[in-house]
Amino acid sequence: MRYYKEGKPKGRFIGSTERYDIYPGIYRKKEERQEPEPHRKTEQEFVFSYGPASGMLESSEIDFYTPGEIINHVDVDYDVRMRKIGITGLTPADALLRIERINGFHAASHAICFLSAVEDAMGVSPPDNVLKNRILQIESERIRSNLLVVERMAQAAGFGVPVNQLSLLREKVSRIIGKHSGHRYFYGSNSLGGTVFEISSLAEEIGEVSDEFRDIFRSLLVSKLFINRLQNNGINMESDSIGPAARASGIMHDARMDSPDLPYGELDFKPVIKEESDAFGRFMVRSMEIGQSSDLIKKVKISNDELSENQVGSVNGKGMARIESPAGDIFYGIELKDGIISAIDHIFPSVKNLENFRKSMRGNIFTDFHFNWESYGIWISELGVVLE
Amino acid sequence: MNINFWFLKGIFKGIKTEKFPKKAPLDIAPWSTALVGKGNVDCPVEAIKDGKWNFEKCIFCRRCLPEYAPNGDTAIYKVSGNDRTFKKSFHLFPLDSGACGACNVELHNIAAPQYDMTRLGIFFTNTPRHADAIVIMGVWTEGMGKVLERALEAMPGPKLVIAMGACAISGGIIGTGVTDKFNADVVIGGCPPNPYTILSALMKARGE
Ligand code: SF4
Ligand code: SF4
């Protein structure tokens, strides 16, 4: 393994897989932690259930424990739509088809992280052009993901015009991705040591979307009705937060800074940090990262040549990788035996984001729920899944 | 900031809705359209058998290149039951049985200004009691199978069952298809299906 060593914890805690605790560049055997006591319904509380079939984008059953108005506790049940996906026993190429479909909206992030772990296990390194092309994919994906988060927050406020303008932009990004990669969700766009993401005019096309978004963002910022629903809603004080939720709470957590799998270091990258800690802070970070990702795409200077290289490496080995998906750290650990995956470890950002969302709902009221939920950008598809 | 402000911003933006279906679709990502080619290939989901491509199974993974390639045709759906009752107003109840999120977003996208489903009399509802059709996405999962049964019971007749995406139709590469357990009147191919494909299939489902 190139970057990861077994050892004593150092730096921020990224999360736990089934077997390991992960820190930047370090893994160790998972420490047993006491699960928090399940919430017991008090006599004053009743349970208000929402879903699993509801107006939300994905299915999950959400139970609110409340004495009337204030929410004391929230449970989110995604077992109802649990998918079991077999990965071990497959070649990396066959596994990749399934990995892309864990969270289709963040398929590039999942695929690239998984491939980086496999390449680490094989002891191979793709050409610099491929690594930088991967950055272009992830940043394009981030822009679309952040547009959806802002759109869903505006939808919660019933703001028809910005919702339509944001979905117009999001569809434009899907078409840009479709045109440059052949598939609107990057399926089939990545392989070991290779990529299919043609980049001529990408920076200009994404730049136009970013400019149009800036205008909508400014208008939302002066909309008191909207801002009032976000401020002090879902305050997140958890020091182990990840992704935009961490950065909205003044915490400098970003795998683009402390994971060497992709060459962000060459792009003079500095994370967007806000101090608000609430849904408003998360709205700010997601919005400002749209412009930032567009600037990163402009900074990447590569050609369309050498976008694949046959990767011949070891068929036995262990590899780990971590990248910053639009919602925070994704981690994959892979073990290869005779070219076949014999074990897989993973950390998906929706797990930590859900935990912190639930904590941040305490003391809120039901009408705050949609704004707060959307501000975390949680994907049930990443939660209701077991990799076998 | 008042409502008039947003109203004016909307007006200044102009009309963004395309002329589809009167005019041909614009900007189609190739790997969401029909595949044509010759011969047998090593397809991970057996979508190519005896030289024939089956849209109900294809996950658009590109493994069959160069023998097979997309031809830009978005009409990859099959309608075995339609109902003209829904010609003026067609209310859809989306149900995620075990999807990856991409089908969910593509269905949501037919409301985007480029497509604007409401001009065609198509709407979403978040209760099966108001639904004319249920749109099922994702593989069959036990828990959602029960939810699906209850939703179908709650829907008033006439009603249509629509299976959207390779997972719901055949299980794709992830699991078991929902159509193994429930009969679908309409199947919409893709992984995920293109919004143009979804709109065309919905219009066909109401007898257009
Ligand atoms: S694109 Fe993939 S799933 Fe579809 S026919 Fe070709 S090989 Fe099979
Ligand atoms: S058909 Fe494809 S896009 Fe749709 S849920 Fe299944 S894997 Fe996702």
Side-chain angles (χ1 to χ4, degrees):
Chain A
M1 275 191 293
R2 233 168 322 189
Y3 308 122
Y4 282 84
K5 301 275 172 287
E6 191 164 9
K8 280 198 186 135
K10 213 170 121 196
R12 73 173 169 116
F13 174 54
I14 310 292
S16 296
T17 72
E18 286 281 306
R19 301 184 293 170
Y20 304 120
D21 289 337
I22 306 296
Y23 298 82
I26 294 168
Y27 71 98
R28 67 159 185 195
K29 196 170 163 279
K30 186 177 175 179
E31 218 172 48
E32 285 308 317
R33 289 184 188 84
Q34 221 174 349
E35 287 290 318
E37 283 275 304
H39 179 80
R40 283 184 213 288
K41 189 169 93 56
T42 63
E43 272 184 19
Q44 291 78 36
E45 287 173 354
F46 67 94
V47 182
F48 168 64
S49 295
Y50 191 72
S54 65
M56 291 167 72
L57 212 48
E58 299 177 284
S59 306
S60 67
E61 195 167 320
I62 306 183
D63 289 338
F64 298 90
Y65 292 70
T66 172
E69 193 171 16
I70 299 288
I71 308 288
N72 289 342
H73 179 78
V74 181
D75 274 337
V76 180
D77 176 11
Y78 40 81
D79 286 352
V80 68
R81 42 94 78 220
M82 190 61 80
R83 293 180 298 162
K84 289 189 179 139
I85 303 183
I87 299 291
T88 53
L90 297 177
T91 62
D94 282 346
L96 179 65
L97 299 176
R98 286 130 177 117
I99 295 288
E100 287 174 329
R101 289 159 177 83
I102 288 171
N103 174 358
F105 203 60
H106 295 169
S109 303
H110 275 268
I112 290 167
C113 187
F114 170 78
L115 286 170
S116 306
V118 174
E119 287 156 0
D120 191 31
M122 293 170 67
V124 294
S125 207
D128 189 52
N129 253 4
V130 171
L131 294 176
K132 290 194 176 135
N133 188 291
R134 288 177 177 176
I135 291 183
L136 294 175
Q137 292 185 46
I138 291 176
E139 295 309 317
S140 306
E141 186 166 84
R142 190 182 322 279
I143 290 173
R144 178 170 59 185
S145 185
N146 290 6
L147 283 169
L148 181 68
V149 168
V150 178
E151 176 192 328
R152 301 287 292 174
M153 290 171 92
Q155 182 133 42
F159 273 18
V161 175
V163 167
N164 277 315
Q165 294 189 345
L166 289 161
S167 67
L168 179 92
L169 288 187
R170 193 167 47 74
E171 174 61 18
K172 275 190 189 174
V173 180
S174 291
R175 290 180 181 195
I176 293 170
I177 293 172
K179 177 174 128 190
H180 289 269
S181 83
H183 190 283
R184 286 158 62 92
Y185 293 85
F186 291 110
Y187 290 176
S189 303
N190 288 288
S191 56
L192 277 175
T195 158
V196 188
F197 192 46
E198 192 277 328
I199 55 159
S200 43
S201 75
L202 176 76
E204 293 79 44
E205 291 165 33
I206 289 284
E208 279 172 28
V209 170
S210 166
D211 290 346
E212 279 189 61
F213 172 73
R214 200 177 310 116
D215 182 47
I216 304 169
F217 175 47
R218 284 191 185 134
S219 304
L220 284 171
L221 271 183
V222 291
S223 173
K224 275 212 181 101
L225 216 67
F226 181 62
I227 302 303
N228 283 346
R229 305 304 305 269
L230 307 181
Q231 282 174 329
N232 296 315
N233 179 350
I235 293 174
N236 171 29
M237 303 301 281
E238 307 306 320
S239 58
D240 64 351
S241 299
I242 55 163
R247 298 192 285 280
S249 302
I251 304 168
M252 187 88 78
H253 284 179
D254 196 314
R256 288 172 289 183
M257 292 189 73
D258 60 12
S259 175
D261 292 298
L262 293 173
Y264 279 98
E266 294 176 29
L267 303 176
D268 189 26
F269 169 78
K270 282 189 194 66
V272 173
I273 301 288
K274 300 300 285 180
E275 303 287 341
E276 284 84 351
S277 315
D278 52 10
F280 177 67
R282 295 188 281 280
F283 158 74
M284 289 297 289
V285 169
R286 289 278 191 166
S287 298
M288 291 166 75
E289 286 187 352
I290 290 174
Q292 183 189 46
S293 293
S294 169
D295 289 344
L296 285 172
I297 289 172
K298 279 185 199 133
K299 276 189 197 167
V300 174
K301 296 277 176 267
I302 51 168
S303 68
N304 275 321
D305 306 331
E306 288 178 22
L307 286 181
S308 86
E309 190 180 88
N310 208 8
Q311 302 280 289
V312 185
S314 170
V315 290
N316 293 297
K318 186 167 174 165
M320 292 181 175
R322 177 169 58 92
I323 61 108
E324 185 73 13
S325 82
D329 301 88
I330 293 184
F331 169 90
Y332 279 104
I334 301 293
E335 284 176 37
L336 281 182
K337 212 171 168 198
D338 300 328
I340 299 292
I341 295 174
S342 57
I344 182 161
D345 285 276
H346 62 85
I347 297 170
F348 297 156
S350 293
V351 175
K352 179 53 72 186
N353 283 328
L354 175 68
E355 191 184 313
N356 289 341
F357 157 77
R358 290 174 61 226
K359 289 179 188 162
S360 76
M361 269 307 285
R362 268 182 226 142
N364 277 21
I365 56 176
F366 179 70
T367 48
D368 292 335
F369 159 69
H370 278 108
F371 295 93
N372 193 20
W373 172 264
E374 301 300 352
S375 75
Y376 276 90
I378 294 164
W379 284 90
I380 301 293
S381 58
E382 259 179 16
L383 297 164
V385 67
V386 176
L387 302 190
E388 297 175 320
Chain B
M1 186 70 37
N2 56 37
I3 294 300
N4 288 342
F5 167 83
W6 284 111
F7 177 73
L8 289 174
K9 275 191 94 66
I11 298 277
F12 287 137
K13 231 3 184 219
I15 295 168
K16 299 291 172 190
T17 305
E18 294 164 5
K19 296 275 185 274
F20 181 80
K22 284 201 181 117
K23 288 207 171 150
L26 306 167
D27 282 331
I28 314 160
W31 290 94
S32 58
T33 66
L35 300 192
V36 283
K38 264 196 200 133
N40 280 325
V41 290
D42 184 19
C43 169
V45 288
E46 296 182 349
I48 292 175
K49 238 183 172 177
D50 304 326
K52 279 209 179 90
W53 176 69
N54 180 352
F55 80 81
E56 299 187 9
K57 289 187 170 179
C58 182
I59 58 162
F60 296 88
C61 67
R62 318 183 199 197
R63 286 240 184 123
C64 51
L65 260 178
E67 283 86 354
Y68 287 75
N71 70 357
D73 180 7
T74 55
I76 47 172
Y77 56 83
K78 195 168 83 195
V79 178
S80 32
N82 62 29
D83 203 314
R84 292 180 69 83
T85 322
F86 309 132
K87 209 152 184 276
K88 288 238 162 71
S89 128
F90 193 22
H91 282 80
L92 310 174
F93 176 64
L95 193 119
D96 164 7
S97 166
C100 73
C103 270
N104 317 42
V105 177
E106 289 297 51
L107 180 63
H108 182 69
N109 277 347
I110 62 171
Q114 287 93 334
Y115 309 101
D116 186 13
M117 61 177 190
T118 56
R119 83 195 146 107
L120 303 166
I122 301 169
F123 309 93
F124 290 130
T125 170
N126 53 17
T127 158
R129 294 197 190 282
H130 297 162
D132 302 313
I134 186 164
V135 184
I136 308 160
M137 298 160 289
V139 288
W140 186 83
T141 52
E142 211 168 311
M144 288 309 288
K146 288 181 194 126
V147 176
L148 177 53
E149 262 172 38
R150 285 204 301 272
L152 283 170
E153 274 167 26
M155 282 170 69
K159 55 187 162 194
L160 292 175
V161 176
I162 301 173
M164 177 181 145
C167 282
I169 306 174
S170 63
I173 194 136
I174 299 295
T176 305
V178 176
T179 58
D180 282 10
K181 317 272 175 183
F182 295 88
N183 199 26
D185 303 293
V186 180
V187 294
I188 309 178
C191 183
N194 195 295
Y196 290 118
T197 308
I198 303 170
L199 274 184
S200 308
L202 292 175
M203 288 189 293
K204 210 45 171 220
R206 55 184 199 183
E208 283 174 47

